[in-house]
Amino acid sequence: MKRYRNGEIWDFEHEMPVVGGNDEVVLGLDGGTTSTVCICMPLLRVADPFPDPLPVLARAVAGCSNHNSVGEAAARETLEQVMADALAKSGSNRSAVRAVCLAVSGVNHPTDQQRIVNWLREMFPSYVRLYVQNDAVAALASGTLGKLHGCVLIAGTGTIAYGFTEDGREARAAGAGPTLGDWGSGYGIAAQALTAVIRAYDGRGPETNLTSSILEKIGLSSPDELIGWTYADPSWARIAALVPVVVSCAEAGDEVANRILFESVQELALSVKAVVERLRLCGEDGKDSFPLVMVGGVLEAKKRWDIGKEVINCISKEFPGVFPIRPKVEPAVGAALLARNFYMKEFCKEL
């Protein structure tokens, strides 16, 4: 272990006592396109069932850690800072850590996993177990309390469907980013709305209330200013922040906004169906029960036009055994539970 990019990040450890075996902790990280959350929890060597509520020692938040979005240097620095912050808040240090599970968007291949494991290995003692997963895996675990079985649908700034079988097979659909078609995501919905405004303005599309609503929201006076506004800062989260405007217009009866949301529901449901069918989570007859964990701002039931509810209704028609779960804990807690479960599984094998 060595001080990585910024040695001062870990300066707090010099003033702390050596941590004993009874103070073992795990770290769970959820790194999305917008922010990174780190949870520090006790190891819970004996936990059947887990205590309710789960004992969270500390929570820290930092910026984006998706290396595809911000670059490797910024992603590494963000991860190091948020883990140090969580340990400092909990009164722990790296000598207390037994396992780290980092679930981050942008992990799409074993080479991505190995690259990040190498970053973490330079930050922690050699005995710390390190696990790197796509952020969808932590989201699933947040609904199943660390058990990798079922399907998760994330629809926030981006979107992905990810599934696991009890024997360890896995499959995913979507999640390739906006350039390759993250339809149904917050970015996808808002980008379609912006496109509809431009099309209405130049005569290629029907008139829509999205025009006045979006212009008012972002403080512009004319649709021809949208091009400059969009490309001045085309960050995914900035565009996705317009989703509530689209939902409000749809609820007010705007046909264009309603079509955008309806097509988004179909795309999200299609992602889930693709995963369920590839893994046969529904069984041979299509009626077996399986959990579907629903995560992300797009799926939250805050409006009359409930995207999450419509997705479930669409999926239920084909898979009547689907069991929707809206997690009571955040994905970073799911990652911490995975760190604990992975560690205890390896620990028991070694006994």
Side-chain angles (χ1 to χ4, degrees):
M1 178 182 68
K2 66 180 181 181
R3 291 188 176 189
Y4 195 58
R5 290 176 53 80
N6 295 300
E8 66 272 12
I9 287 178
W10 302 103
D11 280 349
F12 72 91
E13 293 183 325
H14 303 322
E15 303 173 5
M16 298 181 66
V18 176
V19 179
N22 293 329
D23 299 310
E24 300 169 311
V25 300
V26 295
L27 296 178
L29 291 90
D30 171 44
T33 312
T34 306
S35 63
T36 303
V37 178
C38 181
I39 292 291
C40 181
M41 288 178 54
L43 177 58
L44 300 175
R45 284 186 178 271
V46 179
D48 188 19
F50 287 119
D52 185 14
L54 289 165
V56 173
L57 300 176
R59 180 181 189 271
V61 184
C64 175
S65 55
N66 183 330
H67 62 276
N68 293 326
S69 299
V70 299
E72 288 193 12
R76 288 184 298 201
E77 187 166 345
T78 296
L79 292 174
E80 188 169 16
Q81 184 66 65
V82 77
M83 290 187 290
D85 288 348
L87 286 171
K89 288 180 179 180
S90 70
S92 301
N93 57 40
R94 286 176 288 179
S95 66
V97 177
R98 294 296 173 266
V100 178
C101 180
L102 169 60
V104 63
S105 61
V107 173
N108 303 309
H109 190 272
T111 57
D112 297 323
Q113 291 177 305
Q114 190 57 53
R115 180 190 301 116
I116 298 173
V117 166
N118 291 342
W119 300 349
L120 296 176
R121 179 50 60 210
E122 296 194 32
M123 301 178 200
F124 288 94
S126 59
Y127 56 79
V128 177
R129 306 297 173 87
L130 304 173
Y131 311 99
V132 176
Q133 303 281 349
N134 186 279
D135 62 336
V137 180
L140 174 61
S142 71
T144 60
L145 293 182
K147 183 179 180 181
L148 289 183
H149 172 249
C151 183
V152 61
L153 174 64
I154 299 177
T157 301
T159 182
I160 187 172
Y162 213 114
F164 279 87
T165 62
E166 291 184 325
D167 61 3
R169 291 180 296 118
E170 59 188 275
R172 58 176 283 172
T179 303
L180 297 176
D182 249 356
W183 309 127
S185 69
Y187 181 95
I189 291 170
Q192 285 182 279
L194 291 171
T195 301
V197 171
I198 295 297
R199 290 175 64 87
Y201 180 65
D202 65 19
R204 289 177 295 146
E207 293 297 317
T208 170
N209 290 333
L210 287 168
T211 300
S212 59
S213 296
I214 287 178
L215 292 179
E216 179 182 356
K217 175 68 175 179
I218 61 181
L220 300 182
S221 57
S222 172
D224 59 11
E225 297 177 82
L226 269 181
I227 298 175
W229 179 88
T230 300
Y231 293 108
D233 178 12
S235 64
W236 303 346
R238 178 173 176 257
I239 303 298
L242 296 174
V243 168
V245 178
V246 184
V247 175
S248 294
C249 287
E251 290 181 340
D254 186 83
E255 291 186 9
V256 174
N258 269 288
R259 185 175 69 251
I260 290 172
L261 295 187
F262 176 77
E263 291 175 354
S264 297
V265 166
Q266 299 301 309
E267 285 289 341
L268 293 172
L270 190 61
S271 295
V272 173
K273 291 177 182 177
V275 170
V276 171
E277 289 177 347
R278 284 165 62 190
L279 296 179
R280 301 309 301 170
L281 293 173
C282 56
E284 293 302 321
D285 62 359
K287 297 180 181 180
D288 283 7
S289 177
F290 64 90
L292 173 61
V293 180
M294 310 278 284
V295 176
V298 170
L299 302 175
E300 292 178 0
K302 295 180 179 178
K303 300 273 188 175
R304 285 185 289 114
W305 218 120
D306 188 335
I307 296 174
K309 181 179 179 181
E310 293 301 322
V311 170
I312 293 170
N313 289 341
C314 187
I315 294 169
S316 297
K317 293 177 182 177
E318 193 159 343
F319 307 121
V322 63
F323 177 63
I325 298 174
R326 295 187 184 269
K328 296 180 180 179
V329 299
E330 62 182 321
V333 174
L337 291 173
L338 285 175
R340 182 265 174 194
N341 288 352
F342 289 153
Y343 175 84
M344 291 305 300
K345 185 175 181 180
E346 291 188 20
F347 179 79
C348 290
K349 283 183 179 179
E350 294 173 357
L351 292 180

